[in-house]
Amino acid sequence: MPATAASSAVQTKFEPVIGLEVHVQLLTATKAFCGCANHFGSDPNTNICPVCLGLPGALPVLNAKAVEFAALAALALNCQVREQSIFARKNYFYPDLPKGYQISQYDKPLAEHGWIDVPAEHGLTKRIGITRLHMEEDAGKSLHEGFSDSATRTYLDLNRCGTPLIEIVSEPDIRTPGEAFEYLTRLKEILLYTAVSDCNMEEGSLRCDANVSVRPRGQEKFGTKVEVKNVNSFKFVRAALEYEIERQVEVIESGGQVMQETRLWDANEGRTYSMRSKEQAHDYRYFPEPDLPPLILTPKFIAETKAKLPELPEARRKRMIAEYDLSVQDAHTLTASREFADRFEAAAKTARNPRRVANVLLSEVGGRLKALGLEMEQSPVTMAGIVLAADLLDEGKISSKQMKQLFDVCFEKGEDFGPVYDREKPQQITDASALEKLIDEEIAANPKQVGQYRSGKKTMAGFFVGQVMRATKGQANPALLNELVVKKLEG
Ligand code: ADP
Ligand code: MG
Ligand code: ZN
């Protein structure tokens, strides 16, 4: 069975229905219900105490920062935060859960009714509903590898027990694996902007379970869903969904029925396989957590939290597109991370012409980095260097050709723009009579273009500027050259 893009049979006869459940670890200093450090990478079983181990008699105390982060995320995702939410025990047995239950939220979650807009075809957006966002605690980790006796033993690291999580459950609004990818990308971006999590999938701070079913096109009723777990990158989520959609369509087309089950994604084989069926499904026997009172959030707290929200990626892109005259694509590049967008905007403010800073950054630096397969963070040219180049260009102290040559040197030698400019100090022809002579030559050689200019096509001035620039190997002072070209053509 091919695990490639959804087949045409899928597209014409069947419609996929997808809903995502995303777990996100919160970046609090301490755990959700005790004072243990919430820290990835500590020696195993060093950040534990009677509360997070669930020893008899230990009582949980809710971490206020975790509540603030969860509420912040909820508001950033357009959710309504409940004034009263209830903690519940989700009971199950697993070696990495010594307590025998996770504290979670069930019928009264922290927040509900949110949404994320994702880009759709034809420049439109599609709104994906968020059913709920609730708080819970993480379980520990079973270590099946990495020890000399790993073949016969499993070790436990309980440091992760009690790490504060939010779970974000989407409505079954997603219709394609590509849309799922977009949803996750936007979700992660929003969470990074609000700084509630580092969303590091390798370290498990963001984890995604994908629910998917297919139904004949035109049918309203959803098909039977399968939950795919163990997908640890957004690309794998897309691939797993593509695989699973094809598998389900094949089952139906060959006269069978899709079984409700949990399947695991195997990245090496590029396929899913059954983990447990509905008959073995967990019955978590949720009940209200007797050791924690209802969580009451006042309208004042909710309003104050909302006021703390930073400008979110989509709004920021819209503003920056207008402010810096950017394409949508460029706006995405500049807002890829909040820190980068902040650094860019702080720098652009100091320049003569902020739009030019965006332009130099994207076309000169961005273009070269892309060709080298490097990220913005790895650039030899700093923001200050970019501002300097933009200002020099704006003042006509260097031509764009000279700027390009200087950037070439920067990237060849791994140096910032400032020192390269100081050393190379590109020559400029600022002698008006020398330039006039060259302009006269071009005017004589290009009567057709002169005619076009004089019959009203004023943009032809650019042609002559370009010709003289080429003749001077980019050394003509651009401002002076422009002025003289117009003077000559008008004369
Ligand atoms: P469960 O009780 O099995 O966890 P939920 O109703 O809580 O199921 O839904 C879990 C996730 O599955 C949600 O993201 C939801 O949007 C999605 N979902 C629900 N039904 C379907 C379906 N038939 N096909 C695809 N996704 C679904
Ligand atoms: Mg569920
Ligand atoms: Zn603890």
Side-chain angles (χ1 to χ4, degrees):
M1 196 185 313
T4 53
S7 70
S8 57
V10 174
Q11 277 155 32
T12 53
K13 285 197 201 158
F14 291 92
E15 178 179 56
V17 171
I18 298 164
L20 301 175
E21 296 167 285
V22 177
H23 286 88
V24 179
Q25 288 180 346
L26 299 176
L27 270 179
T28 52
T30 55
K31 293 187 182 180
F33 302 108
C34 63
C36 290
N38 171 26
H39 181 252
F40 181 87
S42 297
D43 285 342
N45 303 309
T46 52
N47 300 328
I48 50 177
C49 76
V51 174
C52 51
L53 294 180
L55 300 187
L59 289 173
V61 177
L62 179 59
N63 180 341
K65 200 73 191 169
V67 175
E68 188 192 319
F69 279 0
L72 206 54
L75 292 165
L77 297 168
N78 308 295
C79 291
Q80 286 161 25
V81 175
R82 297 180 67 101
E83 289 179 26
Q84 190 194 79
S85 61
I86 305 282
F87 286 99
R89 289 189 181 181
K90 178 182 180 178
N91 300 277
Y92 64 93
F93 173 77
Y94 206 73
D96 65 16
L97 187 72
K99 242 166 44 176
Y101 61 88
Q102 268 175 304
I103 301 178
S104 180
Q105 295 187 307
Y106 188 53
D107 55 353
K108 284 189 177 165
L110 185 88
E112 298 158 298
H113 312 305
W115 43 265
I116 296 179
D117 282 337
V118 301
E121 279 174 46
H122 311 300
L124 300 173
T125 57
K126 173 169 171 183
R127 184 156 292 184
I128 310 291
I130 290 172
T131 315
R132 53 189 277 144
L133 180 154
H134 65 252
M135 299 183 69
E136 59 182 36
E137 60 177 337
D138 216 338
K141 245 192 268 185
S142 302
L143 308 174
H144 303 290
E145 295 168 3
F147 297 91
S148 55
D149 52 356
S150 280
T152 53
R153 283 167 201 258
T154 289
Y155 286 80
L156 291 173
D157 177 4
L158 301 177
N159 281 346
R160 202 173 70 176
C161 286
T163 294
L165 296 176
I166 48 175
E167 178 175 347
I168 301 150
V169 182
S170 89
E171 289 287 307
D173 286 349
I174 300 165
R175 291 290 172 270
T176 65
E179 243 171 59
F181 183 88
E182 285 295 337
Y183 169 87
L184 291 169
T185 306
R186 299 291 147 245
L187 174 63
K188 178 178 168 183
E189 195 178 57
I190 292 166
L191 294 172
L192 286 174
Y193 264 62
T194 48
V196 299
S197 175
D198 61 20
C199 296
N200 185 330
M201 287 190 88
E202 270 118 64
E203 295 181 357
S205 25
L206 190 154
R207 310 194 287 270
C208 174
D209 300 333
N211 300 271
V212 53
S213 61
V214 298
R215 61 180 172 188
R217 274 196 193 276
Q219 176 184 305
E220 199 171 325
K221 194 169 164 285
F222 288 158
T224 305
K225 82 170 151 74
V226 161
E227 183 178 14
V228 186
K229 285 185 178 288
N230 199 28
V231 236
N232 51 16
S233 84
F234 293 172
K235 283 196 181 120
F236 286 157
V237 171
R238 189 168 53 194
L241 285 169
E242 277 166 1
Y243 175 87
E244 189 56 29
I245 289 163
E246 289 222 14
R247 188 191 68 81
Q248 292 182 16
V249 167
E250 252 185 52
V251 168
I252 295 170
E253 294 244 280
S254 60
Q257 277 189 336
V258 174
M259 274 218 308
Q260 180 167 341
E261 61 181 346
T262 301
R263 299 177 71 90
L264 291 182
W265 167 248
D266 185 323
N268 292 323
E269 291 183 42
R271 56 162 295 196
T272 64
Y273 59 91
S274 187
M275 178 174 124
R276 57 170 182 254
S277 66
K278 195 188 177 183
E279 292 77 69
Q280 309 154 271
H282 282 136
D283 173 4
Y284 293 119
R285 297 177 294 118
Y286 280 96
F287 63 83
E289 164 63 67
D291 292 338
L292 287 165
L295 173 61
I296 310 291
L297 299 179
T298 62
K300 182 165 169 279
F301 170 85
I302 295 170
E304 282 167 2
T305 307
K306 196 163 191 171
K308 286 184 194 161
L309 280 179
E311 186 180 24
L312 293 171
E314 200 47 43
R316 186 166 201 173
R317 277 193 285 272
K318 283 208 178 100
R319 175 179 61 74
M320 284 173 61
I321 284 170
E323 207 166 316
Y324 303 99
D325 201 16
L326 302 172
S327 68
V328 174
Q329 178 61 45
D330 288 346
H332 274 277
T333 306
L334 292 184
T335 55
S337 80
R338 182 175 155 193
E339 301 83 76
F340 185 76
D342 285 349
R343 280 203 290 127
F344 160 72
E345 292 213 87
K349 266 199 202 89
T350 68
R352 292 164 56 96
N353 180 347
R355 287 186 181 193
R356 206 185 281 282
V357 178
N359 197 271
V360 170
L361 169 58
L362 290 160
S363 60
E364 301 305 325
V365 179
R368 285 176 175 76
L369 288 172
K370 199 169 169 202
L372 295 168
L374 297 176
E375 298 295 320
M376 285 287 184
E377 276 72 18
Q378 298 166 290
S379 171
V381 179
T382 62
M383 266 319 162
I386 293 166
V387 170
L388 174 65
D391 278 350
L392 289 168
L393 192 66
D394 207 59
E395 291 169 282
K397 289 190 178 155
I398 53 173
S399 66
S400 55
K401 171 122 193 231
Q402 288 171 328
M403 178 180 70
K404 282 180 202 299
Q405 288 164 344
L406 292 170
F407 275 122
D408 283 341
V409 177
C410 292
F411 278 82
E412 256 161 47
K413 306 215 162 142
E415 281 183 282
D416 203 356
F417 190 86
V420 171
Y421 173 74
D422 286 341
R423 193 176 57 235
E424 313 258 321
K425 269 289 182 308
Q427 292 295 308
Q428 275 221 329
I429 303 172
T430 50
D431 174 357
S433 62
L435 291 178
E436 278 174 347
K437 186 165 159 280
L438 292 168
I439 297 168
D440 287 338
E441 283 170 25
E442 293 300 335
I443 284 179
N446 299 286
K448 194 172 120 216
Q449 284 81 352
V450 175
Q452 285 173 333
Y453 181 91
R454 291 190 174 146
S455 59
K457 200 175 170 201
K458 299 292 177 199
T459 52
M460 278 323 277
F463 168 79
F464 290 97
V465 170
Q467 290 296 104
V468 176
M469 268 299 178
R470 190 168 318 151
T472 60
K473 299 198 166 58
Q475 290 184 353
N477 177 294
L480 181 62
L481 175 60
N482 265 306
E483 186 193 314
L484 294 174
V485 163
V486 172
K487 199 175 92 189
K488 287 275 180 193
L489 287 170
E490 295 288 338

